[in-house]
Amino acid sequence: MLNKVYITSYCLETIKLIIKRHNQKTEIGGVLVGFQKEDSLTIIHASDPGPNAIMQHNWIKIDEQYTTEFCNYLNKVSNNSLYYLGDWHTHLSSNLLPSPTDYKAVQTLASYLTEDARFSLITVIFNHFSPEIFKVYNYSQERLLKEVECSII
């Protein structure tokens, strides 16, 4: 069970730049890479959605090949110390609660992970128009998305 998530200011700035470059009125997102230590995660890197992503007003399907290569590259150059933690995406409203689509996406992702990794899976939801406002959710053993405290480091 996760009790705390840390996100580096570098990672947060990367996400803000990705959102700023995206001027369409659609969700945008990507994957998150970092590491786990005991009951906390530290997010170091974030990707953009990739060239073959499909973005709509209220959902996104990231480019799986592109984001897998992003994660694999960071895992390799970090000597296996950095790895996939989950995803991030925007909502085009101030409602940062997970949508039914968000639940379905996380449940699908979780089904591909080992049980150890499954319940440390996170999703971070940003306000598309004010990306300094965001919430972090952990996929719990009850198969729910539970909000987790997050600090910027």
Side-chain angles (χ1 to χ4, degrees), residues 37-149:
K37 185 174 181 182
E38 297 172 5
D39 65 348
S40 68
L41 294 181
T42 301
I43 305 167
I44 308 289
H45 298 282
S47 78
D48 62 19
N52 296 318
I54 301 169
M55 295 174 278
Q56 299 294 320
H57 179 75
N58 59 354
W59 63 272
I60 178 172
K61 182 178 185 325
I62 62 172
D63 181 338
E64 292 173 18
Q65 180 178 346
Y66 173 86
T67 54
T68 298
E69 289 172 6
F70 177 87
C71 293
N72 289 343
Y73 172 77
L74 289 171
N75 183 258
K76 182 178 179 180
V77 299
S78 71
N79 199 25
N80 302 318
S81 64
L82 299 177
Y83 41 86
Y84 173 79
L85 299 176
D87 67 15
W88 71 273
H89 69 281
T90 62
H91 280 185
L92 277 74
S93 74
S94 59
N95 180 358
L96 300 183
L97 294 173
S99 69
T101 304
D102 296 336
Y103 270 100
K104 184 185 258 186
V106 170
Q107 288 170 336
T108 300
L109 281 170
S111 71
Y112 294 111
L113 300 174
T114 65
E115 195 158 327
D116 289 347
R118 183 175 303 149
F119 301 117
S120 61
L121 183 64
I122 58 168
T123 189
V124 182
I125 303 173
F126 288 83
N127 180 310
H128 191 86
F129 304 105
S130 299
E132 63 281 352
I133 301 169
F134 63 94
K135 291 191 176 195
V136 178
Y137 297 93
N138 170 231
Y139 185 66
S140 70
Q141 290 183 331
E142 299 82 22
R143 290 167 171 63
L144 300 171
L145 285 171
K146 293 189 175 182
E147 189 173 354
V148 180
E149 183 184 345

